[in-house]
Amino acid sequence: MSIVAAITGGIAHALSLAFGMTWEIMWALVLGFALSAAIQAVVSKSEMTRLLPDDSPRTLAIACALGAASSSCSYAAVALARSIFHKGANFTAAMAFEFASTNLVIELGVILALLLGWQFTLAEFVGGILMVAILAVVFRAFLTPELVEAARSHAERGLLGRMEGHAEMDMSATGGSVLSRLASPRGLTATSHYFVMDWAAVLPDIAGGLLIAGALAAWVPNSFWEGFFLVHHPLLTKLWGPLIGPLVSLLSFVCSIGNVPLAAVLWNGGISFGGVISFIFADLIVLPILNIYRKYYGGKVSLFLFLTFYATMAVAGFVVDVVFDALGLIPASRNAKVVEVHVSLNYTTVLNVFFFLLAGVLVIRFFRTGGTEMLKAMNQPIEASDAHTGHGPAIEKRIETFQDEHHHSATEEPVTYMCPMHPEIRTGTPGRCPKCGMDLQLSGASTENG
């Protein structure tokens, strides 16, 4: 009976720690995703390929800006990078976009500041830019035309990864100033759709990261972490942290912002400052994503990406550690918020209630404007009839096919049906939008609810 009680108590302790961290960061998650959704609602994905033609510093800066304005879902970032590379973007620029999409986004910075401190947020953004610069140098030295051609050849096969549909969907509002686009019915709807779909994309990683962090905090003693991270050897710790951090991340299976709670546990356990940063960087080399690289670009290119990404992340983490230590910006104490649940009337509770209400408004608008169909299409950009083979027409081909099939009715009858998110998709018969999967609605009828 005592063994059962001990096991039950240990599980309860782990769950309490997981929920405690969830409660602390929930309002920040909603805020970060809402801001990210608003940015995506006014930044068109269709321009990315044109803006990323080479690996010049200007193009890489644009790639970083576009990445920072996109979804923080690692799988969506990897899928979108493959998509823009396949359409003609430079390979290095596509990888820079991928790095920025997971390391320079708003929600990551907010959660880092809340759980670990503002120094980690600053280090993440500085290190993210440094990592892109290092990657560009490494690629110029070692990325051969043969590797790029092999990557392009595999990319053209269209093998499925994850979040393919989410990466391809473009619901951004166009025309007018940024504020007018954002405040328009279409802008509000696009914001709600990006908000919910981003949540749906990263929720498994966030939940998994919180549960694993709670379990590690509850069940693994600090003495283990101190020995593992060589805490009692200051010089070795600085070197070891950035080297081991990405490898721990690789084996955690958790990516996107779900690895931040794990980073908090590792920081309290004794990993170096640079080790935390390189651990967070490494969500793009977790095992499931390495397997997606293999599908997208082939075995040889995926191995090249793993080795260069790992080296880049480790070097960037070490440099950030040295620079921040020299500037006195590394926190003296290790008090990341890994706490048991304690709900009381304080600023956290007030903020959580307010942002829960905001999330509720966005979720309601999402479902009232055809969001269910968007969710169904997140992982299936390829026609169902071709999905089992891993091949099939891309979304552009779907649009062409759709327009060909409806050409007769569209030319002989008045245009009566259109997509509420893509008004250029019009036809004389009912159906679904080939871009987003939403039901076409009667032209002239209200396409926005609420």
Side-chain angles (χ1 to χ4, degrees):
M1 186 68 178
S2 59
I3 296 178
V4 174
I7 294 175
T8 304
I11 293 175
H13 186 204
L15 291 175
S16 178
L17 288 170
F19 185 79
M21 284 187 284
T22 303
W23 184 253
E24 288 291 328
I25 68 175
M26 184 53 65
W27 69 267
L29 283 172
V30 175
L31 171 62
F33 279 109
L35 291 174
S36 175
I39 293 172
Q40 293 178 76
V42 295
V43 177
S44 174
K45 294 178 181 177
S46 62
E47 291 293 300
M48 289 184 181
T49 301
R50 182 182 64 81
L51 293 172
L52 305 178
D54 52 43
D55 62 350
S56 66
R58 179 179 181 276
T59 297
L60 294 180
I62 293 173
C64 288
L66 291 172
S70 67
S71 167
S72 64
C73 173
S74 301
Y75 293 106
V78 171
L80 185 52
R82 190 271 295 265
S83 175
I84 60 179
F85 169 62
H86 172 58
K87 294 175 183 177
N90 177 268
F91 187 72
T92 302
M95 295 303 104
F97 164 84
E98 188 177 296
F99 271 28
S101 191
T102 57
N103 292 294
L104 300 179
V105 289
I106 296 171
E107 53 267 43
L108 175 63
V110 173
I111 302 304
L112 278 171
L114 198 60
L115 283 184
L116 288 152
W118 63 267
Q119 298 94 330
F120 289 89
T121 298
L122 180 61
E124 179 69 17
F125 289 130
V126 171
I129 295 172
L130 174 63
M131 189 165 56
V132 170
I134 295 173
L135 183 72
V137 173
V138 171
F139 272 23
R140 284 204 173 188
F142 299 106
L143 180 63
T144 64
E146 291 77 17
L147 281 175
V148 174
E149 184 56 36
R152 194 176 302 280
S153 176
H154 277 82
E156 289 173 352
R157 297 182 182 182
L159 297 181
L160 287 174
R162 279 186 59 184
M163 295 299 153
E164 304 282 348
H166 185 32
E168 292 279 3
M169 291 174 186
D170 189 352
M171 298 168 287
S172 57
T174 57
S177 67
V178 170
L179 289 179
S180 65
R181 280 182 280 159
L182 194 58
S184 68
R186 182 177 176 183
L188 293 173
T189 297
T191 300
S192 71
H193 282 228
Y194 278 121
F195 176 81
V196 174
M197 289 195 299
D198 282 355
W199 265 105
V202 303
L203 187 58
D205 288 297
I206 294 175
L210 287 165
L211 290 173
I212 294 173
L216 292 177
W219 302 339
V220 180
N222 278 339
S223 58
F224 170 82
W225 295 122
E226 290 174 356
F228 185 68
F229 293 130
L230 308 177
V231 170
H232 302 297
H233 305 277
L235 179 59
L236 288 178
T237 298
K238 278 191 176 296
L239 295 171
W240 179 241
L243 292 174
I244 196 63
L247 299 180
V248 174
S249 180
L250 181 149
L251 297 174
S252 73
F253 283 79
V254 177
C255 55
S256 303
I257 59 175
N259 62 5
V260 177
L262 290 175
V265 172
L266 298 181
W267 172 246
N268 284 351
I271 193 172
S272 68
F273 186 80
V276 172
I277 301 304
S278 64
F279 171 83
I280 295 171
F281 286 158
D283 62 339
L284 288 175
I285 58 170
V286 297
L287 289 175
I289 286 184
L290 289 177
N291 186 48
I292 291 175
Y293 291 148
R294 180 187 62 80
K295 292 180 179 180
Y296 283 177
Y297 307 120
K300 189 175 181 179
V301 176
S302 65
L303 177 61
F304 175 82
L305 290 178
F306 167 66
L307 294 175
T308 54
F309 281 12
Y310 171 76
T312 298
M313 294 161 181
V315 171
F318 177 73
V319 171
V320 166
D321 193 310
V322 171
V323 172
F324 274 57
D325 191 20
L327 296 175
L329 293 177
I330 296 180
S333 58
R334 296 175 179 267
N335 54 359
K337 290 186 179 179
V338 183
V339 296
E340 294 192 64
V341 59
H342 179 69
V343 180
S344 60
L345 185 59
N346 55 19
Y347 83 94
T348 300
T349 300
V350 173
L351 289 172
N352 277 340
V353 170
F354 174 81
F355 283 102
F356 275 142
L357 293 175
L358 173 62
V361 170
L362 292 172
V363 169
I364 290 172
R365 188 176 187 89
F366 172 80
F367 284 109
R368 292 180 65 188
T369 52
T372 303
E373 295 300 327
M374 306 289 277
L375 282 177
K376 292 178 181 178
M378 285 182 67
N379 269 311
Q380 297 180 337
I382 296 175
E383 293 292 349
S385 61
D386 297 314
H388 69 284
T389 66
H391 299 275
I395 279 184
E396 290 84 355
K397 182 64 177 176
R398 291 171 59 188
I399 296 171
E400 292 173 6
T401 301
F402 173 88
Q403 292 171 337
D404 289 341
E405 290 174 349
H406 294 82
H407 175 74
H408 180 74
S409 60
T411 55
E412 294 189 1
E413 300 176 18
V415 173
T416 54
Y417 291 91
M418 61 182 287
C419 174
M421 292 305 301
H422 300 98
E424 69 275 13
I425 302 298
R426 295 168 178 260
T427 178
T429 58
R432 289 185 177 178
C433 175
K435 283 189 175 182
C436 63
M438 291 179 66
D439 289 329
L440 301 180
Q441 298 183 6
L442 280 171
S443 178
S446 174
T447 59
E448 305 287 347
N449 293 306

